[in-house]
Amino acid sequence: EAQVTQNPRYLITVTGKKLTVTCSQNMNHEYMSWYRQDPGLGLRQIYYSMNVEVTDKGDVPEGYKVSRKEKRNFPLILESPSPNQTSLYFCASSQNNQPQHFGDGTRLSIL
Amino acid sequence: SQKIEQNSEALNIQEGKTATLTCNYTNYSPAYLQWYRQDPGRGPVFLLLIRENEKEKRKERLKVTFDTTLKQSLFHITASQPADSATYLCALDGIIFGKGTRLHILP
């Protein structure tokens, strides 16, 4: 089954404690991206990657890092999380400007 | 900067009627526009794509129109059912998303 898998689905942590949200896709897609979704603000792109070792900032990249060492994986790293990064995060993948496949989301709470 | 707006935060429609959702944009010329459905606790799921040179696209009970002069897309669900209740998102070129419209189909 074609899918985008995010882990963890839920995480409560504290300010300053580094965390990584993993994202993996099994469709051999070249394009992957991360979004955060906040009430009243909608989906906003954090980072995207056109292919292995190619990453670029989206609209709200501050406080986040990503890496793309393999085609299937695109982890989102919060080196020093802060409460304003409390949000619902989605990873997505697609191929050649085709529609994106989204994961089921990771709900992060930073206390 | 580019701006995308979906006409209302929430919309209540009687079962069986046609639901019409609006997506307007400014300061941008998308090559295509997509519509997604999002259920609570789930990621968005792609429904339809319409390109700038297409006026209308249909898929079963769904219809999308695209007016590049008005900078507007309309999304229609005909013969609506309670199972159509969800949040619907439009997206320019697949990456600039609207905030979504929560659609409630009332039995």
Side-chain angles (χ1 to χ4, degrees):
Chain A
E1 182 192 347
Q3 56 186 11
V4 176
T5 304
Q6 298 178 223
N7 279 297
R9 293 291 314 280
Y10 305 91
L11 179 63
I12 300 174
T13 187
V14 295
T15 298
K17 186 177 180 183
K18 180 180 178 179
L19 67 91
T20 300
V21 184
T22 64
C23 173
S24 180
Q25 51 96 2
N26 63 359
M27 295 164 279
N28 202 38
H29 286 165
E30 290 184 347
Y31 182 89
M32 296 187 74
S33 60
W34 275 102
Y35 295 85
R36 60 178 289 174
Q37 188 173 39
D38 301 287
L41 295 176
L43 271 171
R44 293 178 293 166
Q45 193 178 54
I46 303 170
Y47 267 96
Y48 64 95
S49 169
M50 302 291 282
N51 212 327
V52 176
E53 301 292 0
V54 180
T55 62
D56 243 316
K57 296 177 180 179
D59 294 322
V60 288
E62 295 78 22
Y64 304 95
K65 283 174 60 175
V66 292
S67 70
R68 187 89 184 274
K69 293 186 171 58
E70 310 160 279
K71 204 171 194 179
R72 62 183 291 126
N73 296 323
F74 190 44
L76 179 70
I77 302 152
L78 284 70
E79 293 269 4
S80 183
S82 62
N84 64 11
Q85 293 177 298
T86 292
S87 187
L88 179 58
Y89 291 85
F90 288 101
C91 179
S93 74
S94 67
Q95 187 71 17
N96 295 337
N97 291 325
Q98 294 299 305
Q100 296 192 72
H101 294 251
F102 284 83
D104 277 336
T106 295
R107 190 167 289 282
L108 274 184
S109 292
I110 316 293
L111 305 177
Chain B
S1 63
Q2 70 270 10
K3 194 173 178 184
I4 180 170
E5 282 186 0
Q6 296 191 238
N7 63 326
S8 48
E9 219 174 284
L11 192 62
N12 294 328
I13 299 292
Q14 204 67 42
E15 182 178 5
K17 301 290 187 188
T18 296
T20 298
L21 284 62
T22 305
C23 178
N24 294 296
Y25 59 92
T26 56
N27 299 328
Y28 198 77
S29 296
Y32 59 90
L33 192 146
Q34 297 171 336
W35 284 88
Y36 288 79
R37 169 183 173 140
Q38 186 175 19
D39 292 288
R42 306 300 301 271
V45 174
F46 169 75
L47 296 174
L48 279 170
L49 179 152
I50 186 164
R51 301 191 186 280
E52 59 177 337
N53 60 349
E54 297 174 319
K55 294 288 185 200
E56 183 180 298
K57 260 295 188 52
R58 289 175 186 262
K59 180 182 174 183
E60 297 170 356
R61 294 184 296 110
L62 309 180
K63 184 178 88 170
V64 172
T65 63
F66 194 9
D67 189 326
T68 54
T69 302
L70 291 178
K71 293 187 181 293
Q72 180 181 81
S73 175
L74 299 178
F75 176 79
H76 307 272
I77 305 175
T78 58
S80 58
Q81 305 164 1
D84 295 325
S85 298
T87 296
Y88 291 86
L89 308 170
C90 64
L92 307 178
D93 290 337
I95 56 172
I96 303 169
F97 283 82
K99 295 176 186 176
T101 297
R102 273 181 291 113
L103 177 65
H104 302 282
I105 306 300
L106 308 171

